[in-house]
Amino acid sequence: MSDAAHDQLASVVRQHAGQLAAALMRVTGDFATAEDLVQDAVLAALQHWPAEGIPERPDAWLFTVARRRALDGLRRADNYRAKLAQLQWPVQPADDDRLRLIFTCCHPALPRQAQIALTLRVVCGLTTAQIARAFLVHETAIAQRITRAKRKITDAGIPYRVPDDDELAARLTEVLTVIYLLFNEGYLATTGPPASRDLAEDAEWLASLLHQLMPAEPEVAGLLALIRLHRARAAARFGTDGELVLLRDQDRSRWDREAIADAVRLLTRAARRQRPGPYQLQAAIVACHAEAEHFEDTDWEQIVLLYDMLLHLAPSPVTRLHRAIAVRYATGAQAAMAELDDLAGILGEYHLYHATRAELLRELGQPDHARAADRRALDLTANPAEQAVLQQRLAWI
């Protein structure tokens, strides 16, 4: 099976699996049953479509397989005839069916890793094996994580619904966090199997779906803009041999300027609602980088101000580290080093802290201390692409 055919198959499955799961959940009334039916259909597609070709109506094909399995179970149920009548195609799902599904998968009663795995499985249509490859863990571990999550949904009676208004803010935060972590997992997977990088595409798709369903939520738009701004620059992040290219060294002609402009327009519309949030501010910071034609054109003063706003809304030592990097270019290495000194006790085991400190020490004329900081950063990271950058630094004379 060619890569193009595999990508098309994955796209079709992802497009229809979530809709099918939402429809089946509404009909069967049982999360685990609906999810199992979808997975049966997805596995059947993965087995048959490579040889037989993708059917003209892939959504109907998937539903037919799921319906056949559902009928076997429904025949044993007292309400067989009533539910059989509902299992017709095309399904007419309620407008918020997929939104209900996302909120169910991302319920705060579930562990974060289980939320991510369940979202990938049910909403994105990935198989257990695909999720395991994406996160570089054993398939059995992912299967257990998903099984426990489904059992928790059933045993705890987690409702299949969009939260009430008084619950929405906290629950939406959980959904956005899962999508954000999913994106980071894919975007920062700079080496390894292609499935890892596909997670960034899945995250954009989920954020786009959420934005379609909740267009008035500025933080949803902010997260979507943030993801799109990062992905618009992805082509320049790696060299010909797959090595990581730092932002200041990237060939900006390879950035997708049209995608950047679209993301900035999306972010601008969100900002007009005057409800700033962490994702909007992060997107605004990335937009400052993305709109600069050259690294030297970057508006570092504006970036420092945006980091100040972000720290006010969502304090974080990692955000303080990134602010210190901006301070380096806005004010100077000495001021940035003072910021880093305040973080030594908090980020002492974080590799990017030591890598940043090494750059500052080198700029301040302390090459021996810089090498020691780079070695410490190298010891703390398992990412091969980042390791290569640090090893290259250490090889400098």
Side-chain angles (χ1 to χ4, degrees):
M1 187 179 186
S2 68
D3 290 341
H6 183 275
D7 290 344
Q8 184 185 15
L9 173 61
S11 177
V12 169
V13 168
R14 184 180 64 186
Q15 180 182 356
H16 297 292
Q19 180 184 1
L20 179 59
L24 288 168
M25 175 66 186
R26 185 161 50 88
V27 171
T28 64
D30 182 79
F31 184 91
T33 297
E35 194 273 335
D36 287 342
L37 292 172
V38 172
Q39 285 305 304
D40 282 348
V42 169
L43 288 173
L46 293 173
Q47 292 169 359
H48 290 277
W49 291 1
E52 302 171 6
I54 296 176
E56 185 176 348
R57 290 291 309 280
D59 52 351
W61 192 99
L62 288 167
F63 186 83
T64 298
V65 173
R67 182 180 188 274
R68 192 175 299 130
R69 170 71 184 274
L71 293 181
D72 292 338
L74 290 175
R75 287 191 179 98
R76 295 189 292 270
D78 293 338
N79 57 351
Y80 164 72
R81 291 185 181 278
K83 291 205 170 185
L84 178 61
Q86 297 181 58
L87 275 174
Q88 305 300 322
W89 190 260
V91 175
Q92 299 297 327
D95 291 339
D96 61 357
D97 263 357
R98 287 179 298 178
L99 187 56
R100 291 176 180 176
L101 192 61
I102 292 174
F103 275 101
T104 301
C105 291
C106 297
H107 193 282
L110 301 176
R112 181 63 51 72
Q113 291 300 318
Q115 293 176 22
I116 295 174
L118 203 58
T119 301
L120 285 173
R121 174 81 174 258
V122 179
V123 183
C124 296
L126 272 66
T127 64
T128 303
Q130 288 171 320
I131 300 170
R133 285 197 300 271
F135 286 94
L136 304 180
V137 299
H138 197 278
E139 186 175 343
T140 302
I142 290 293
Q144 291 173 344
R145 193 174 297 168
I146 292 172
T147 299
R148 285 194 295 266
K150 290 191 293 183
R151 187 181 302 124
K152 177 75 172 180
I153 288 174
T154 300
D155 294 346
I158 292 175
Y160 173 61
R161 62 174 176 83
V162 177
D164 295 331
D165 290 344
D166 60 345
E167 303 174 280
L168 186 58
R171 291 286 298 279
L172 179 59
T173 298
E174 204 70 25
V175 172
L176 292 174
T177 299
V178 166
I179 297 174
Y180 180 68
L181 291 174
L182 179 62
F183 171 72
N184 280 342
E185 182 69 28
Y187 191 72
L188 297 178
T190 51
T191 61
S196 296
R197 296 184 188 178
D198 289 345
L199 294 178
E201 183 180 351
D202 285 320
E204 181 179 352
W205 179 77
L206 283 173
S208 178
L209 174 62
L210 196 59
H211 180 58
Q212 292 172 33
L213 296 167
M214 305 180 74
E217 287 292 337
E219 275 294 80
V220 175
L223 178 58
L224 179 58
L226 174 64
I227 292 173
R228 287 179 172 172
L229 285 165
H230 276 302
R231 298 199 72 216
R233 302 181 301 164
R237 289 186 70 225
F238 303 95
T240 54
D241 296 327
E243 72 277 11
L244 184 65
V245 180
L246 300 179
L247 178 63
R248 63 171 172 263
D249 300 321
Q250 289 179 13
D251 178 0
R252 299 188 178 213
S253 68
R254 299 183 65 195
W255 290 3
D256 187 338
R257 291 292 174 184
E258 184 177 348
I260 289 171
D262 286 343
V264 170
R265 283 192 289 270
L266 176 63
L267 182 60
T268 301
R269 289 196 298 271
R272 291 196 188 110
R273 297 187 178 275
Q274 298 184 343
R275 291 160 52 197
Y279 295 112
Q280 294 171 74
L281 290 169
Q282 287 183 67
I285 291 168
V286 178
C288 286
H289 291 293
E291 291 184 306
E293 291 190 15
H294 307 283
F295 183 78
E296 295 74 19
D297 299 330
T298 307
D299 189 346
W300 291 106
E301 289 79 8
Q302 178 67 19
I303 290 174
V304 171
L305 289 175
L306 288 167
Y307 272 123
D308 287 339
M309 296 173 64
L310 180 58
L311 283 168
H312 177 72
L313 291 177
S316 159
V318 173
T319 299
R320 289 176 60 191
L321 172 63
H322 289 301
R323 183 188 181 279
I325 295 171
V327 167
R328 170 193 179 186
Y329 294 104
T331 308
Q334 195 66 56
M337 183 61 80
E339 300 273 348
L340 254 63
D341 288 342
D342 291 339
L343 296 171
I346 305 173
L347 296 178
E349 298 300 312
Y350 185 46
H351 70 284
L352 290 181
Y353 168 80
H354 294 283
T356 302
R357 189 167 176 273
E359 287 201 358
L360 294 176
L361 288 166
R362 197 170 283 112
E363 187 172 334
L364 292 169
Q366 302 180 47
D368 292 339
H369 289 95
R371 286 174 59 83
D374 273 332
R375 281 194 291 268
R376 179 60 176 151
L378 183 60
D379 290 340
L380 290 171
T381 182
N383 185 300
E386 291 175 337
Q387 288 175 341
V389 171
L390 292 166
Q391 287 167 345
Q392 185 180 39
R393 286 185 190 173
L394 288 168
W396 293 343
I397 298 176

